[in-house]
Amino acid sequence: MRSKSDKKKSLVPRLRFPEFREAGAWEVKKLGAVLTFQTGFPFSSKYFNEIGDGLRLIRNADLKSSDRMIFYSGPYEQTFIVNNGDILVGMDGDFSPSIWGHGKALLNQRVGRVSAKDGSSLTFLHFSVSVALKLIEQRTAQTTVKHLSHTTVEKTKWPIPIFHEQQKIAHCLSSLDEVIGLESHKLDALKNLKKGLMQQLFPQEVA
C-alpha cells in the first residue's frame, strides 16, 4: 500500500519548467472548483430545419463533422449561445474536448461547455481536462454508448498547478498546436501538388 508521501510525489509532473521545479506538488481539487461545466438545452425539434433559418445547433456529431447541419428557428436563452473559442465536450461516446470554430451557434442537449472560473486558465483547462476526461471515459462502465454527466466532471478530483504555471503549460502546448496546424497545411498543399502532377503526367481516360 502506498504511503501518503508516495501519493503526494505522484502529483508532481515528471517534466517541469525550471522556474517551477521548487514549487512542490500540484494541489488536488475538484474540477468544479476551477471550472463550470454547462450542459446544453433540449431544444424543440419542431423548430429544426436544414435551410439555414435561425442559429446552427451544436450536436455531438457536429464536434467531429459538419456534413449535416441542423438549424433552430425558435426561442432560446442567451446563456446557450456558443461562440468561437468555446471549449465543448460531447457527452455521449467520445468525451474529448474540442474548441468550437464555426461561428455563433446554440448548445444543444448532450453537449457540454467548459468555462474557467476566476484564477484558472481556460487554455490550460482545455489540455488538462482532455486528460481527465479520457481517464473518466476509460473508467466508465462498458456499454453500447458511454455517457458523461456534468456532476461526474465537476466532482472529479484533479491536480491543478498555480496560475502562472498553468499559463506556461498552456503557452507551450498551444505553440505546438500552431506548429502542427502549419505543418498540416503544408502536407495538404503537397498532397494537392502531387494530385495535380498525377493528373498532368498520366492520361485521364482509358483507351
Side-chain angles (χ1 to χ4, degrees):
M1 183 175 180
R2 294 188 337 182
S3 66
K4 290 184 178 180
S5 61
D6 289 334
K7 290 181 180 179
K8 186 174 182 180
K9 287 179 181 178
S10 70
L11 300 179
V12 178
R14 286 178 292 178
L15 180 63
R16 207 83 180 265
F17 292 102
E19 61 267 43
F20 299 109
R21 286 174 184 164
E22 304 301 323
W26 291 5
E27 183 179 357
V28 177
K29 300 179 180 180
K30 288 184 178 179
L31 285 177
V34 296
L35 62 79
T36 298
F37 191 88
Q38 178 192 12
T39 56
F41 187 79
F43 294 100
S44 173
S45 60
K46 70 179 181 180
Y47 295 107
F48 289 6
N49 68 89
E50 297 185 44
I51 61 174
D53 185 15
L55 285 179
R56 179 179 175 179
L57 276 181
I58 304 176
R59 305 158 299 156
N60 246 310
D62 297 318
L63 300 181
K64 300 293 183 183
S65 171
S66 295
D67 293 341
R68 180 171 178 252
M69 294 188 289
I70 301 296
F71 294 83
Y72 176 80
S73 61
Y76 59 86
E77 295 181 13
Q78 295 291 314
T79 186
F80 294 106
I81 291 179
V82 172
N83 294 295
N84 287 343
D86 286 351
I87 297 175
L88 305 181
V89 179
M91 300 175 68
D92 297 312
D94 181 4
F95 303 158
S96 299
S98 59
I99 299 177
W100 182 252
H102 302 289
K104 185 177 178 181
L106 289 172
L107 191 69
N108 196 31
Q109 62 182 341
R110 304 308 301 160
V111 179
R113 169 167 47 192
V114 173
S115 302
K117 291 186 175 179
D118 290 343
S120 299
S121 162
L122 182 61
T123 307
F124 169 81
L125 288 176
H126 172 233
F127 293 115
S128 184
V129 168
S130 67
V131 179
L133 289 175
K134 182 55 64 177
L135 293 174
I136 292 173
E137 182 182 327
Q138 291 171 357
R139 293 172 183 172
T140 302
Q142 293 295 327
T143 57
T144 304
V145 178
K146 295 185 177 184
H147 302 289
L148 180 69
S149 72
H150 73 280
T151 303
T152 298
V153 175
E154 293 179 344
K155 287 187 175 181
T156 295
K157 293 182 179 179
W158 195 247
I160 303 293
I162 59 175
F163 182 67
H164 293 304
E165 190 168 3
Q166 292 181 32
Q167 289 181 307
K168 186 79 173 186
I169 293 171
H171 176 72
C172 174
L173 296 176
S174 295
S175 297
L176 285 174
D177 274 346
E178 289 179 9
V179 173
I180 291 170
L182 290 173
E183 293 302 319
S184 295
H185 288 311
K186 290 180 182 178
L187 181 59
D188 289 339
L190 287 172
K191 288 180 178 178
N192 289 331
L193 175 60
K194 178 186 175 183
K195 182 178 180 181
L197 287 172
M198 293 283 285
Q199 291 174 341
Q200 295 181 59
L201 292 169
F202 298 99
Q204 298 301 303
E205 294 182 4
V206 177

